[in-house]
């Protein structure tokens, strides 16, 4: 099993690595990278919540035929993410065996971790962006001309300020908060992150008790970002990252909200619990030195009725759901 150490502050707090590649792919190409069908390859791990956001957005917006998808092995070795799920261990679109090679093609002196999601320029084989917060926003805006008919408005102009506000606190306390719990190296840092995480989950429960979605009456970018953490909560974060005040299944409002999204096309059909559990429990030797992957929890509960329709709301607004994968 490979050891992947976390970066921590002197107080034992988890510090997330900054994104190195932050160039944007734009509609008009003014950034130097123009949104074009077939030009780029989105590389993800189905285990990773940050990458999962882009998979959901790509599905909801109908960009599958425009932006190809590469999926890495949920387990990493010393060179990082590998394409061992593909024939001969090579990504069929780029020919890469390791995502690291695309990073080094973009910066030969790069020495950080090779993270997903990453958008690779197919012709040059180099990473254009690994800026996961901006990536999904750009899929909604800069790639709009390629959206499917009936694609939902995930980042509508009139709601952007509120979506950004919600995203900021959800990132700080929940999305990144579970990692701050799991990778803390002091009791004090862990407890600060733990308290902030569950205080935020309590406030989100209060917010969602009377409204079906986080912002407005349709699914937005805010729901995607919260969902990718919630869907991993009981399978990984509750035990592995010591986020154990409650399980998600013990938080009635959030559990119903998460099931509502899971049962919405584009969400649950992009979840792979096997990849999630194998990645978390097998690649963090400092947290789980035995590498044993738990057999539970039972995922069947995700398909039980949630009752959230009673709150109203229109998941896709004036749009339509994506077709289920064949």
């Amino acid at each position: 099993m490979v050891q992947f150490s976390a970066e921590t502050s002197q107080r034992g707090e988890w510090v997330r690595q900054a994104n190195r590649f932050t160039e944007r792919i734009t509609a008009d190409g003014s950034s130097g990278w123009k949104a074009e069908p077939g030009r780029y390859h989105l590389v993800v791990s189905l285990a990773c919540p940050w990458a999962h956001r882009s998979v959901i957005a790509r599905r909801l917006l109908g960009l599958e035929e425009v932006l190809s998808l590469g999926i890495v092995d949920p387990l990493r070795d010393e060179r990082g993410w590998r394409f061992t799920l593909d024939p001969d261990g090579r990504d069929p679109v780029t020919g890469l065996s390791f995502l690291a090679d695309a990073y080094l093609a973009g910066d030969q002196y790069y020495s950080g971790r090779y993270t997903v999601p990453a958008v690779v320029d197919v012709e040059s084989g180099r990473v254009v962006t690994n800026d996961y917060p901006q990536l999904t926003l750009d899929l909604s805006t800069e790639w709009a001309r390629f959206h499917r008919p009936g694609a939902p408005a995930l980042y509508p102009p009139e709601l952007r300020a509120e979506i950004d506000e919600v995203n900021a606190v959800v990132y700080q306390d929940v999305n990144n908060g579970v990692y701050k719990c799991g990778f803390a190296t002091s009791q004090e840092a862990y407890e600060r992150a733990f308290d902030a995480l569950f205080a935020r989950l309590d406030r989100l429960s209060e917010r969602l008790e009377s409204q079906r979605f986080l912002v407005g009456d349709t699914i937005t970018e805010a729901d995607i970002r919260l969902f990718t953490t919630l869907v991993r909560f009981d399978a990984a974060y509750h035990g592995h990252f010591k986020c154990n005040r409650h399980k998600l299944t013990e938080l009635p409002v959030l559990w119903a909200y998460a099931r509502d999204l899971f049962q919405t096309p584009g969400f649950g059909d992009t979840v792979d619990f096997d990849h999630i559990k194998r990645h978390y429990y097998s690649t963090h030797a400092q947290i789980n030195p035995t590498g044993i992957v738990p057999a539970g929890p039972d995922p069947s509960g995700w398909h039980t009725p949630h009752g959230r329709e009673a709150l109203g709301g229109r998941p896709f607004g004036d749009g339509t759901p994506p077709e289920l994968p064949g």
Side-chain angles (χ1 to χ4, degrees):
M1 179 168 40
V2 180
Q3 175 80 28
F4 287 93
S5 60
E7 301 171 42
T8 54
S9 71
Q10 291 183 345
R11 297 197 300 173
E13 298 166 322
W14 159 250
V15 179
R16 182 164 294 281
Q17 173 182 289
N19 295 318
R20 161 63 181 82
F21 297 91
T22 57
E23 296 180 75
R24 293 178 62 189
I25 299 169
T26 55
D28 62 4
S30 59
S31 62
W33 301 99
K34 186 174 182 179
E36 298 178 273
R39 181 173 176 180
Y40 306 100
H41 192 52
L42 173 62
V43 178
V44 304
S45 163
L46 298 180
C48 172
W50 318 102
H52 191 186
R53 297 176 178 183
S54 60
V55 177
I56 294 173
R58 175 178 173 269
R59 281 270 292 123
L60 295 180
L61 298 172
L63 292 170
E64 291 99 326
E65 300 301 318
V66 176
L67 178 63
S68 58
L69 184 69
I71 299 174
V72 294
D73 194 300
L75 305 183
R76 299 175 294 191
D77 67 9
E78 292 80 0
R79 292 186 60 187
W81 298 107
R82 307 167 296 162
F83 290 96
T84 52
L85 303 179
D86 295 304
D88 300 321
R90 289 188 176 275
D91 175 62
V93 174
T94 63
L96 295 169
S97 295
F98 294 88
L99 180 58
D101 293 333
Y103 272 77
L104 295 173
D107 178 0
Q108 62 179 318
Y109 302 109
Y110 182 79
S111 59
R113 289 182 296 110
Y114 310 111
T115 61
V116 288
V119 178
V120 177
D121 174 52
V122 174
E123 183 176 353
S124 66
R126 60 152 290 189
V127 169
V128 176
T129 180
N130 69 340
D131 190 5
Y132 59 88
Q134 188 62 47
L135 172 58
T136 47
L137 300 183
D138 285 345
L139 291 180
S140 282
T141 55
E142 302 298 326
W143 292 78
R145 63 176 292 204
F146 303 113
H147 290 177
R148 66 177 175 86
L154 300 177
Y155 195 49
E158 69 276 12
L159 296 178
R160 287 179 188 175
E162 187 177 359
I163 291 171
D164 291 345
E165 181 181 0
V166 170
N167 285 347
V169 294
V170 167
Y171 170 81
Q172 177 67 26
D173 297 333
V174 181
N175 299 146
N176 203 41
V178 293
Y179 284 84
K180 290 191 286 187
C181 290
F183 289 129
T185 56
S186 73
Q187 188 70 33
E188 294 77 11
Y190 162 71
E191 291 184 7
R192 280 194 298 272
F194 181 96
D195 291 344
L197 166 65
F198 282 99
R200 181 62 60 191
L201 291 177
D202 288 342
R203 287 194 284 274
L204 290 168
S205 289
E206 293 172 3
R207 182 185 184 102
L208 288 164
E209 192 169 13
S210 58
Q211 62 188 68
R212 189 171 178 184
F213 305 110
L214 278 172
V215 181
D217 67 349
T218 64
I219 291 168
T220 67
E221 174 80 15
D223 298 295
I224 294 173
R225 295 191 182 195
L226 180 57
F227 174 79
T228 60
T229 295
L230 295 183
V231 80
R232 289 162 173 76
F233 203 89
D234 289 4
Y237 305 142
H238 178 269
H240 187 55
F241 278 177
K242 307 179 185 69
C243 301
N244 62 354
R245 193 196 76 179
H246 291 94
K247 297 176 182 177
L248 176 65
T249 55
E250 296 167 344
L251 298 170
V253 173
L254 287 178
W255 175 223
Y257 164 78
R259 297 202 314 280
D260 186 5
L261 291 176
F262 185 92
Q263 294 169 30
T264 299
F267 284 84
D269 50 273
T270 64
V271 174
D272 191 314
F273 285 117
D274 173 63
H275 277 220
I276 290 168
K277 292 197 298 182
R278 284 199 290 136
H279 168 72
Y280 278 100
Y281 288 95
S282 298
T283 61
H284 303 143
Q286 71 273 42
I287 299 175
N288 186 37
T290 65
I292 294 173
V293 178
D298 181 358
S300 63
W302 284 98
H303 300 280
T304 58
H306 51 75
R308 297 279 294 177
E309 305 94 333
L311 294 174
R314 303 173 301 146
F316 294 96
D318 294 328
T320 58
E323 293 184 6
L324 290 173

